[in-house]
Amino acid sequence: MKRLAAFSLSFFFLACTATTPAPAPAAAANAGADSGLVQVVVVGTTDVHGWFNGHTETPPGGGQGVLWGGLPTLASYVERLRAQHGDRVLVVDSGDMYQGTLESNLFEGAAMMRGYNAVGYTAAAVGNHEFDFGPVGPDSVARKPGDDPLGAVKRNAGYANFPFLSANMVEKGSGKSPSWARPYTIVRAGGARIGIIGLSTPDTPNVTMAANVASLDFLDPVPATLEAVKQLRAEGVDAIIVIAHIGGRCTNIEEPHSVASCDRQQEAFRYLNALPQGTIDAYFGGHTHSQMRHVINGVPALEALAYSREFSTLDLWIDTKNDRVAKFEMRPHTMICSFVYEGTVLCDPRNAPKEARLVPREYEGITIRPNKRVAAAIEPYLRRVASKRNEKLGARTTARFVRSYVSESALGNLLTDAMREASGADIAFMNSGGIRSDLREGELVYSDIFEVSPFDNFPAVVRLTGAQVEEMLRVSTSGMRGVLQVSGIKYTFDMEKEKDKPQETRNRLVSVTLPDGTPLDREKLYAVVMPDFIAAGGDAQDVMKDVPADRIQIFWARPLRDVVAETIKKWPQPMTPKLEGRITVLNAPPPRE
């Protein structure tokens, strides 16, 4: 369900009063011990994915739960910083703003734009999931004459009080930025002029519905950056910040000058190391749902965790007389909480200290409370979806079904088993990147399954040879993206195998068998059920280009999440998470503590 027909998008316009933030106090004298320098504070979010109302969690096994994340709580932090630093606070987002929750998707992202306007964002990069909604209306891809595949993203860019940025996204043919986006923007912060460049991952056509971006090219971000920097320097900016839907992966963010814990093959590292030193002054990444807080090739590079969990903060001291950044400070990432577990600055119950109690969150000398003005801006959307959100599924769980991006997961097993049972296929595949949330413990409601599978994907049954099945598994285990969760098959891969080869050519597979250990027949045709996104070649599954059309059948009657919901409620209840050795990972790194 992309959205409910009764929820007319004219509702956005009916609720558009009082969405701009209250005026910030006049800028005080430049902060910091260095006279003559302008201190600018940059707050960065990324991959919020529609979680404008936050998450309500209870600890495993029960106990006192807590609300974390959400734009009203984020706004409280931002307003405190604005009270201290006035107009020298910039708020930026590195893309994937609105795909992921019922209340976001049913309005095709309009609710997110209203919330971002209320917070007072400065700029946002264009993420791959900004294109997921396709045309304005019920279809996620153009199906009728006159449908505009970019209709929803164009409309959302028009709703925003801030620019959508991407210097490497251009229209095919003209080679120019589309009318609804810009390569960069220039903003004033105190006495400083700041250039902000946006970037999108060149992998965008592989990680959204490719048909929706067929009119666009996503170019190499390095030359696109150099050209934008050249123009910005000519306009006399004092500092340049890049916000990019291009990310990294690091497991230790406590030592900013050591990248030992980082995967240096990730896009952000390749990009930053390709830039001549001094080209840009700061970098805010996204897309990988991981963290960075490191100096890379001389550039402070930050990336906060996804789903409105946290924000990153960078202080820049800018010498406006010489158009340069004199120094910077990367603050620790901040979890978005109005209450925290005593003795911590964390509010995620999954990591709560045993028997810890909740206490009000203190930040920069104030108590954090969700901002009432921002809460009022998003409340009408929540009210309109409440009945569907709380609709009972008729299924319950004994414990949380956890997802994993790089190994077998209990949630991946549940989804693929349901897909295979509903379709009668031999094998089921589910891309790990399409599983967006854990499935909570307890009695399930519709929003639970929606948040697990928010994309408007439909089940597709594809007849593949065993060799083609193996190729799909090779691609998914190469390290470029998440592994395929499976049912009706087992496989093993080695993370050390061919590790020195480029990710796109690696073959880390060791074995592929049926559940009883019988080797896969490379010549035999197997019926494989998968999301239509994968059947269309998504996640770089180029093998689909060689599959004849008469071997692909897409079932458009119900989205994949509804098929799963109908199936699991027929199973014995309650359901218990299980791992069965479907995916074996050799030489896996130790889990992060």
Side-chain angles (χ1 to χ4, degrees):
M1 181 198 312
K2 184 177 178 182
R3 75 288 287 161
L4 299 180
F7 293 174
S8 168
L9 286 169
S10 63
F11 173 65
F12 179 87
F13 298 102
L14 296 176
C16 263
T17 59
T19 59
T20 55
N30 295 337
D34 302 274
S35 61
L37 300 182
V38 176
Q39 182 186 1
V40 175
V41 180
V42 189
V43 172
T45 58
T46 188
D47 297 279
V48 175
H49 284 292
W51 285 98
F52 63 80
N53 195 43
H55 309 246
T56 302
E57 298 275 2
T58 55
Q64 187 176 11
V66 65
L67 172 71
W68 58 268
L71 295 180
T73 304
L74 171 67
S76 182
Y77 288 90
V78 171
E79 290 207 348
R80 176 54 181 162
L81 292 171
R82 286 179 174 145
Q84 295 173 313
H85 302 283
D87 67 352
R88 289 173 288 111
V89 176
L90 309 179
V91 185
V92 298
D93 189 275
S94 293
D96 280 7
M97 292 175 278
Y98 41 65
Q99 165 63 275
T101 65
L102 186 67
E103 52 268 28
S104 172
N105 287 25
L106 290 182
F107 298 101
E108 297 185 284
M112 289 300 291
M113 296 300 91
R114 180 165 164 79
Y116 271 44
N117 287 345
V119 173
Y121 272 77
T122 307
V126 178
N128 53 292
H129 289 302
E130 263 66 90
F131 300 99
D132 286 355
F133 298 132
V136 173
D139 294 328
S140 57
V141 294
R143 302 193 195 280
K144 303 184 294 294
D147 278 353
D148 182 356
L150 299 172
V153 70
K154 287 179 180 178
R155 189 209 57 201
N156 287 335
Y159 286 167
N161 292 341
F162 52 90
F164 282 22
L165 303 179
S166 181
N168 67 320
M169 176 186 69
V170 299
E171 293 177 326
K172 290 181 177 177
S174 73
K176 297 180 179 179
S177 296
S179 60
W180 50 272
R182 309 179 202 170
Y184 60 80
T185 189
I186 299 174
V187 298
R188 289 192 175 275
R193 299 181 77 237
I194 313 293
I196 305 175
I197 300 170
L199 296 171
S200 304
T201 174
D203 201 33
T204 293
N206 290 318
V207 284
T208 187
M209 295 300 290
N212 290 342
V213 294
S215 65
L216 300 173
D217 280 327
F218 296 85
L219 306 176
D220 185 335
V222 174
T225 299
L226 295 176
E227 177 59 29
V229 167
K230 179 181 177 182
Q231 295 178 31
L232 286 168
R233 294 297 183 194
E235 294 192 49
V237 298
D238 300 304
I240 294 176
I241 299 168
V242 168
I243 57 174
H245 200 65
I246 294 173
R249 292 186 187 280
C250 302
T251 58
N252 183 351
I253 59 170
E254 305 306 318
E255 300 177 17
H257 292 279
S258 172
V259 295
S261 73
C262 302
D263 179 354
R264 277 159 277 186
Q265 291 301 310
Q266 291 293 320
E267 279 187 294
F269 277 79
R270 297 200 308 269
Y271 163 79
L272 288 165
N273 284 317
L275 291 178
Q277 281 203 357
T279 302
I280 65 174
D281 298 299
Y283 181 86
F284 287 80
H287 186 49
T288 54
H289 295 199
S290 189
Q291 292 172 301
M292 291 190 299
R293 183 174 164 263
H294 296 80
V295 179
I296 303 169
N297 196 23
V299 177
L302 298 104
E303 181 178 352
L305 286 174
Y307 305 119
S308 189
R309 179 185 174 89
E310 62 186 17
F311 63 89
S312 50
T313 314
L314 175 68
D315 293 82
L316 299 173
W317 283 267
I318 301 171
D319 178 354
T320 57
K321 292 182 179 179
N322 297 295
D323 297 338
R324 69 184 187 92
V325 173
K327 68 176 186 176
F328 62 82
E329 177 185 342
M330 294 183 287
R331 304 189 195 188
H333 292 327
T334 304
M335 191 171 182
I336 301 170
C337 312
S338 55
F339 286 86
V340 293
Y341 288 98
E342 192 171 27
T344 78
V345 290
L346 304 175
C347 52
D348 184 347
R350 291 170 291 181
N351 304 117
K354 190 174 182 180
E355 299 180 355
R357 69 186 185 98
L358 290 167
V359 298
R361 170 67 159 117
E362 302 294 327
Y363 175 79
E364 297 289 316
I366 67 160
T367 300
I368 293 294
R369 295 182 178 88
N371 182 282
K372 292 181 179 180
R373 178 177 48 81
V374 177
I378 62 175
E379 192 277 335
Y381 298 95
L382 299 172
R383 186 173 64 248
R384 294 289 294 272
V385 302
S387 60
K388 185 64 179 177
R389 181 179 179 81
N390 297 317
E391 181 182 296
K392 292 183 179 180
L393 286 187
R396 64 188 187 280
T397 63
T398 61
R400 192 181 197 90
F401 278 73
V402 177
R403 62 200 170 110
S404 173
Y405 197 67
V406 294
S407 61
E408 178 187 0
S409 71
L411 184 51
N413 290 349
L414 179 147
L415 294 172
T416 53
D417 283 350
M419 292 164 61
R420 190 158 69 101
E421 179 178 317
S423 65
D426 303 311
I427 298 167
F429 283 158
M430 182 69 191
N431 53 310
S432 291
I435 307 174
R436 309 303 285 189
S437 176
D438 294 347
L439 189 63
R440 68 178 178 86
E441 176 184 347
E443 186 173 10
L444 302 178
V445 296
Y446 187 76
S447 62
D448 295 321
I449 199 70
F450 192 100
E451 288 156 9
V452 165
S453 180
F455 303 117
D456 289 315
N457 292 148
F458 293 83
V461 175
V462 184
R463 294 178 62 80
L464 298 174
T465 66
Q468 289 171 323
V469 168
E470 288 185 359
E471 174 60 13
M472 290 187 70
L473 294 171
R474 181 200 71 78
V475 170
S476 82
T477 57
S478 66
M480 294 178 65
R481 45 189 46 84
V483 302
L484 286 171
Q485 303 291 323
V486 297
S487 178
I489 203 171
K490 296 168 68 174
Y491 67 94
T492 298
F493 70 100
D494 185 344
M495 295 190 74
E496 290 293 309
K497 187 180 177 185
E498 299 190 358
K499 67 178 182 179
D500 295 327
K501 288 188 176 181
Q503 288 179 325
E504 57 270 20
T505 64
R506 286 178 186 162
N507 183 3
R508 305 200 293 189
L509 274 181
V510 174
S511 65
V512 184
T513 71
L514 300 178
D516 64 3
T518 303
L520 202 66
D521 185 336
R522 291 176 57 82
E523 304 298 324
K524 179 180 175 179
L525 284 176
Y526 295 90
V528 185
V529 61
M530 63 188 74
D532 63 319
F533 166 70
I534 299 296
D539 264 7
Q541 290 293 352
D542 292 342
V543 68
M544 288 300 166
K545 297 175 182 177
D546 300 324
V547 179
D550 61 2
R551 290 188 190 171
I552 303 175
Q553 185 176 9
I554 301 175
F555 296 87
W556 299 110
R558 292 179 299 166
L560 190 58
R561 60 177 164 268
D562 289 356
V563 172
V564 170
E566 283 294 313
T567 303
I568 64 174
K569 73 180 182 181
K570 300 173 185 175
W571 292 353
Q573 303 294 327
M575 302 178 294
T576 298
K578 59 182 179 179
L579 296 177
E580 299 180 335
R582 300 182 188 186
I583 305 173
T584 301
V585 185
L586 304 178
N587 293 309
R592 181 179 176 182
E593 296 182 357

